[in-house]
Amino acid sequence: MALDPKKTALVLIEFQNDFTTHGGILHDAVKGVMESTNMLANAKATMDAAREKGVLICHCPITFSDDYRELAQEPYGILANVKAGGAFKASEWGGAICDTMQPAATDVTVAGKRGLCGFASTNLRFILNQNRIENVVLAGFLTNCCVESTMRTAYEAGFRVLTLTDCCAATSQEEQDAAVKYTFPMFSLPTTHTEFLAQLP
């Protein structure tokens, strides 16, 4: 099925140094899966080609203040791990979008992401609605966390959702494989980056 680039957005979730880059606080946790899928190079190629074809590129970083005042005094789950590790501080290198995935002048950077879903607490829905987007294409970190949360919300909101299986990474191959095999097909159309690009005229 052909996709209209003008009705399509590529949402790039948390391509930030703390995940993507050597020295990043969480890089070692995702490095193995990143390498197994070649996800960073694939995402870069997808971003550049999709932008050239007129797809709206949306960068969706997560950032916090230095003292994590946005979070509960005693957070639990994955946000507790983020706080304990000192990850994704807006003021530091780790919270910045990595050099490979730097936004272009025509891209949009989503504001306000503090939790897992790319829609919760952000202006992503506003951006998509204003640009008359019907197709949402997802890539990024973590496969079974923020990518999955965003996927579920986009699916229930009525968007046509494609998730790029070779442009995502989790903290283990087992989690990656389980999400791609069992969860992605429930809430999206699992697609490789080359299959997605082939659908753009």
Side-chain angles (χ1 to χ4, degrees):
M1 174 181 174
L3 298 174
D4 183 347
K6 297 300 182 185
K7 296 181 180 179
T8 303
L10 174 62
V11 180
L12 301 167
I13 300 170
E14 297 175 17
F15 281 89
Q16 294 159 264
N17 288 316
D18 272 336
F19 272 141
T20 61
T21 312
H22 177 72
I25 290 170
L26 299 171
H27 179 63
D28 286 347
V30 296
K31 180 181 178 182
V33 177
M34 287 182 68
E35 291 175 349
S36 76
T37 61
N38 199 34
M39 64 87 72
L40 188 57
N42 292 343
K44 166 67 171 171
T46 303
M47 177 180 70
D48 291 346
R51 183 189 294 121
E52 185 69 22
K53 290 177 177 286
V55 170
L56 178 66
I57 309 299
C58 298
H59 301 265
C60 193
I62 184 171
T63 56
F64 298 96
S65 56
D66 287 353
D67 60 2
Y68 296 92
R69 70 191 69 175
E70 301 90 348
L71 299 180
Q73 292 263 328
E74 296 181 4
Y76 65 96
I78 193 166
L79 291 177
N81 296 335
V82 168
K83 181 178 179 179
F88 303 120
K89 291 181 180 179
S91 65
E92 296 185 359
W93 169 84
I97 294 173
C98 67
D99 290 345
T100 301
M101 301 296 287
Q102 278 297 299
T106 55
D107 297 353
V108 178
T109 300
V110 175
K113 189 173 190 297
R114 303 290 182 267
L116 312 182
C117 176
F119 289 91
S121 80
T122 78
N123 60 348
L124 178 57
R125 181 78 64 95
F126 177 84
I127 293 166
L128 299 178
N129 289 344
Q130 285 291 304
N131 285 276
R132 305 295 191 266
I133 297 299
E134 298 176 4
N135 310 303
V136 172
V137 184
L138 302 175
F141 303 87
L142 292 167
T143 307
N144 57 333
C145 185
C146 294
V147 174
E148 181 179 322
S149 295
T150 307
M151 175 201 312
R152 288 170 178 257
T153 300
Y155 177 81
E156 298 225 55
F159 293 102
R160 183 177 181 84
V161 185
L162 289 76
T163 311
L164 303 183
T165 57
D166 56 355
C167 295
C168 299
T171 57
S172 73
Q173 195 64 51
E174 292 80 7
E175 290 170 295
Q176 175 79 10
D177 293 345
V180 170
K181 182 176 181 179
Y182 297 112
T183 307
F184 279 23
M186 293 181 70
F187 307 106
S188 74
L189 300 167
T191 309
T192 66
H193 79 285
T194 54
E195 290 170 340
F196 160 58
L197 293 174
Q199 294 181 60
L200 298 173

